[in-house]
Amino acid sequence: MGWPPLALSLHLCLLGDANSVHVQRWAGEMMARGCQVSLITARPQAQTGVEQRVLAPVRRTTDWLWRVGETRAHLMALKPDIVHAHYVTSYGYLAARCRLGPLFITAWGSDLLVSPQHNPMVRTLTGWILRQADVITGDSQDLLEAAQAYSPKAALHLVHWGVDLQRFRPVPWTDKPQDGFHIASLRAWEPNYNIGCIIDAVAALRLSCPSANAQLHLMGGGSLTPVLKAQVADLRLTSCVHFHGRLNDAQMQAVLSRCHTSVSVPCSDATSVSVLESMACGLSVIATNLPANRYWLTLAHEPEAASCLIDTQGWPQPQRLAQALQALFEQPHLTQRWGCCHRARIEQEGDRQVQMDVMLNLYEQSISAKRLGSHHSTTQSMHE
């Protein structure tokens, strides 16, 4: 007699920030595939259908060290088939210390590309965490290479967050506003993402090319909110910089449908979901010249597309960014062509449905291997 369909019985326990849209989407996709989903989190936010277990608040990095007991108690009560931690050096640490069930760890970017590079103790801990995992996933090749450098025992898999192609889709260029050149930024208002540089670039563009009537749409939020709003006021840009804040998918699509291009200029990053969403909406994209951005944005049949990748050396570079924006404004046919190519690129490799099907298959393979191992152990015991 065979095993029942795994997707109908698989209990997945995620460890991650419940207030992260990426964790929310992951949970939703797995529930849509028939999984029971639980979530252990230090940053709660309700989500329909997810049993949530809340840890004591984490206010300092060292607080993670003292959340192991709580996490273990929750996992023992939940008894999941799969434990999947999102972010190596926080929830990954907790999951590795508890080590209950097959352990999946997803690296998010800075947890491998930034934090371990500046602190030897964090680097040592990161290596130990990764070596406890059964499966490691990341959304860019450079992220997987960074994980491989720690010599983990686990299999490494490239799995993108992906985009909801039904939600994020292009609108005809003629349906976009004709009152100016609209620029989108979907990144968090935190130091790594250089939102202040984008604001400076828009100020420079409005001086060098008044006919563009540049309009900047800032979606997101973060600790730099008061600083950025003060910067906009000082530059007298309050009429053309729009602080939308954190938006849901439908609201983001509504803003992106009005925009002509998107900007993402962090100092470090893996694959950016905001870049993929912008591409899915048929926008041209200006981004910092990082490996993941090169992978998605360099078009073999459009070699000049590399001009929209800006070197991080000597960053920030508001003048360089302003020049790239002006070039896109002055060449609308090129901007539209790149947008079409971007949409095709995402349809080819960035469909969230496809990526989450890959992830479910990895879960099922892990459960099958565990069940097969248990079966062999039981059979061997019977024969002894």
Side-chain angles (χ1 to χ4, degrees), residues 196-211:
C197 174
I198 300 174
I199 293 170
D200 283 338
V202 168
L205 176 60
R206 288 180 67 85
L207 285 175
S208 65
C209 187
S211 61

Side-chain angles (χ1 to χ4, degrees), residues 62-256:
T62 53
D63 287 346
W64 293 107
L65 302 175
W66 313 112
R67 302 293 179 263
V68 175
E70 290 177 72
T71 304
R72 182 178 288 112
H74 288 315
L75 285 172
M76 291 180 70
L78 292 168
K79 296 182 174 59
D81 299 305
I82 296 284
V83 176
H84 189 161
H86 282 268
Y87 208 87
V88 174
T89 50
S90 52
Y91 293 103
Y93 168 76
L94 297 178
R97 284 289 306 274
C98 298
R99 201 66 182 87
L100 297 173
L103 174 56
F104 285 61
I105 294 179
T106 290
W108 279 39
S110 58
D111 48 355
L112 290 186
L113 301 178
V114 178
S115 301
Q117 314 308 318
H118 301 297
N119 187 319
M121 291 183 64
V122 172
R123 187 160 57 248
T124 299
L125 181 61
T126 298
W128 178 82
I129 294 168
L130 292 175
R131 287 189 289 274
Q132 310 313 305
D134 297 296
V135 176
I136 297 169
T137 76
D139 63 3
S140 67
Q141 194 58 46
D142 61 322
L143 199 54
L144 294 183
E145 290 171 0
Q148 186 63 57
Y150 291 96
S151 302
K153 303 170 186 175
L156 275 66
H157 296 273
L158 182 66
V159 180
H160 304 302
W161 297 99
V163 180
D164 181 348
L165 296 183
Q166 299 305 311
R167 171 74 69 184
F168 293 95
R169 59 190 184 278
V171 301
W173 197 262
T174 53
D175 290 349
K176 294 180 181 293
Q178 304 301 311
D179 62 345
F181 187 59
H182 289 255
I183 303 159
S185 168
L186 290 79
R187 309 316 302 268
W189 304 345
E190 301 293 347
N192 181 58
Y193 299 104
N194 296 303
I195 306 301
C197 174
I198 300 174
I199 293 170
D200 283 338
V202 168
L205 176 60
R206 288 180 67 85
L207 285 175
S208 65
C209 187
S211 61
N213 188 27
Q215 304 286 318
L216 176 61
H217 298 270
L218 296 175
M219 291 163 273
S223 63
L224 295 181
T225 301
V227 175
L228 297 173
K229 289 188 174 181
Q231 179 185 359
V232 167
D234 289 344
L235 292 170
R236 299 182 179 180
L237 296 176
T238 52
S239 64
C240 61
V241 176
H242 312 279
F243 288 89
H244 295 279
R246 292 185 172 92
L247 304 178
N248 61 32
D249 286 1
Q251 292 167 329
M252 277 193 288
Q253 164 65 24
V255 175
L256 289 172

